Amino acid sequence: MKTSEINLEKVSVFDPLIVPEHPKVQQLINDLKQGKRNLKDTDWAELDLSGLDLSNTDLRDSNFFNCELRCVNFTEADLGSANFKGANLRTANLANTDLHNANLSDTDLCHVSLEGANLKDTKFQRVKCYRTLLRNTTLPDGTLVKFKMSLTGDSLCVDELMNHYQKCYQRRKKIIGFGLFILFCLGVEVLGHSLSLIFSLMG
């Protein structure tokens, strides 16, 4: 059997993981190669866009219902009011995206980076997470996560997301407080030794 050879050097960052059969996906790839970045209010429902580079793209009000979005690079994209309900976003990069008022319900966000993302007023129900990263992320209620934290859960909702944040925040406060207490104790001990030394020298 003759094996076909693939020239990897010709693969572009805009090429998906699998060669698309749907003409709409092929058209999207061509638009991206030509530098088109205004794709707002577009219907991509139930299409496979895996592996595409959609960074710095205006995708506001777009419909990604039940889409395959594995490994998609959404970095710094505007995804305000986009519908991701039922989409597979596993291993996608959503860092520094604007997801204000977007619908993330019933999505798979395993191994996804949400660092720097704006989730204000996002619909967040029955979301699957595993090692989903947050830092400098704005949560649905407007809370800013200033430290790095990881989300894990099979069906997370907004309340569970907020509870997880509060637990991480309180645990972090205790660790920092304990660290400061240890430093204070060490400081007092060092100061005590220093004073003893000074008095012995004066006496």
Side-chain angles (χ1 to χ4, degrees):
M1 184 181 291
K2 192 173 180 182
T3 359
S4 57
E5 294 182 356
I6 300 174
N7 187 352
L8 295 177
E9 293 180 359
K10 293 184 179 178
V11 176
S12 162
V13 292
F14 298 112
D15 292 328
L17 297 178
I18 301 170
V19 178
E21 296 180 358
H22 199 288
K24 200 168 185 179
V25 180
Q26 189 58 60
Q27 182 59 51
L28 170 60
I29 294 169
N30 293 335
D31 288 342
L32 292 171
K33 286 179 178 177
Q34 292 167 17
K36 187 175 180 180
R37 281 292 180 267
N38 185 357
L39 300 168
K40 63 183 178 182
D41 198 18
T42 310
D43 186 9
W44 309 107
E46 300 187 334
L47 293 179
D48 189 344
L49 306 179
S50 298
L52 287 180
D53 184 357
L54 295 173
S55 58
N56 298 292
T57 305
D58 187 351
L59 293 161
R60 286 173 294 167
D61 300 303
S62 291
N63 184 20
F64 295 98
F65 175 76
N66 273 356
C67 274
E68 280 293 329
L69 300 169
R70 291 165 294 119
C71 301
V72 172
N73 181 12
F74 284 108
T75 308
E76 297 186 354
D78 191 342
L79 300 165
S81 299
N83 178 25
F84 288 96
K85 185 175 173 62
N88 181 8
L89 284 149
R90 183 176 287 250
T91 66
N93 190 350
L94 288 163
N96 300 312
T97 53
D98 186 359
L99 284 155
H100 176 77
N101 203 39
N103 187 355
L104 289 173
S105 295
D106 302 302
T107 55
D108 185 337
L109 293 179
C110 294
H111 300 286
V112 168
S113 172
L114 287 167
E115 296 182 86
N118 177 19
L119 303 179
K120 183 79 166 61
D121 297 323
T122 296
K123 296 175 184 66
F124 197 94
Q125 300 292 329
R126 301 172 300 279
V127 178
K128 186 175 183 179
C129 295
Y130 180 73
R131 293 186 177 178
T132 305
L133 296 179
L134 285 75
R135 180 169 55 185
N136 296 323
T137 305
T138 303
L139 300 181
D141 72 338
T143 302
L144 179 63
V145 180
K146 295 182 180 179
F147 53 89
K148 189 173 183 178
M149 61 179 274
S150 174
L151 284 177
T152 294
D154 286 331
S155 184
L156 294 178
C157 64
V158 173
D159 290 341
E160 289 167 327
L161 170 62
M162 297 308 301
N163 287 339
H164 188 74
Y165 163 73
Q166 289 297 336
K167 286 178 182 177
C168 289
Y169 178 72
Q170 293 301 328
R171 185 163 59 245
R172 184 180 170 83
K173 271 180 67 176
K174 286 179 182 178
I175 292 170
I176 292 173
F178 182 71
L180 291 173
F181 175 72
I182 294 297
L183 288 174
F184 173 76
C185 291
L186 289 173
V188 168
E189 187 176 352
V190 170
L191 179 62
H193 285 307
S194 301
L195 289 174
S196 298
L197 180 59
I198 291 170
F199 288 140
S200 65
L201 291 172
M202 289 175 62

